[in-house]
Amino acid sequence: MITKVDSKDKRRKIISPHKNPRKDSEYIIQLKHRLAPNGLDAARGVELKLYYIPDKFVVEADNYDKYLLFFETKSQQYDSFEKLGSDIIDDLNNELIPKWIHLNITAEHAHTIHCVSYEERQPNWDNPFLLSRLKNI
């Protein structure tokens, strides 16, 4: 069951992006987090791996942690990992406006590993050399 007591604006405000300190360079930021989202069953929790190439903004690791903790609250429930990932990638894409972003969500159940991946990029942006460094993400 999905219930949304808190607005997506409140959730997105937690991200609190900062200006990219290296706007003239293209580089990859990687953040990993373990999560126990409310309403979803995963025996060993859920692992999120975020990779992005910033454009205007970056998120500090502490703010990213606080943002993801929001998904463990009773006011935010999900009935699928796909919906959870969709909300996370939409929030980060809207707040950070990255050149490229990729999110992996992996949940381990008793006998199954459930993986969901999302990827977005700005129109006409490409850097094959930089992206080739991310083999098998």
Side-chain angles (χ1 to χ4, degrees):
M1 166 184 19
I2 300 174
T3 58
K4 298 211 175 181
V5 175
D6 295 3
S7 73
K8 102 173 118 176
D9 291 336
K10 286 182 182 179
R11 186 177 73 217
R12 288 178 175 179
K13 190 179 272 191
I14 301 168
I15 296 169
S16 187
H18 297 281
K19 286 187 178 180
N20 180 359
R22 302 219 16 137
K23 180 125 174 57
D24 296 335
S25 300
E26 290 189 338
Y27 59 100
I28 300 165
I29 295 175
Q30 177 181 355
L31 298 168
K32 294 181 182 180
H33 188 91
R34 285 200 82 63
L35 182 67
N38 192 34
L40 292 174
D41 179 37
R44 295 183 178 100
V46 177
E47 181 179 71
L48 288 94
K49 292 180 183 176
L50 173 69
Y51 306 85
Y52 70 100
I53 297 171
D55 187 2
K56 298 177 181 175
F57 301 104
V58 297
V59 62
E60 290 183 10
D62 287 346
N63 289 347
Y64 182 64
D65 286 344
K66 289 174 191 170
Y67 164 75
L68 290 175
L69 288 174
F70 180 86
F71 294 95
E72 294 183 343
T73 66
K74 290 184 179 175
S75 65
Q76 192 74 28
Q77 290 191 8
Y78 287 86
D79 60 0
S80 76
F81 292 104
E82 292 78 8
K83 177 60 178 151
L84 172 70
S86 179
D87 278 359
I88 292 172
I89 198 81
D90 286 348
D91 290 349
L92 294 172
N93 221 2
N94 280 301
E95 295 303 306
L96 301 179
I97 314 166
K99 293 178 181 178
W100 174 87
I101 188 167
H102 185 97
L103 175 68
N104 281 338
I105 299 176
T106 304
E108 293 185 37
H109 303 278
H111 302 287
T112 305
I113 297 175
H114 184 168
C115 299
V116 183
S117 295
Y118 300 85
E119 184 172 307
E120 306 236 353
R121 69 178 70 208
Q122 290 181 5
N124 302 319
W125 180 87
D126 198 16
N127 186 333
F129 178 74
L130 187 60
L131 292 177
S132 71
R133 297 177 172 272
L134 296 169
K135 295 177 183 172
N136 302 319
I137 53 173

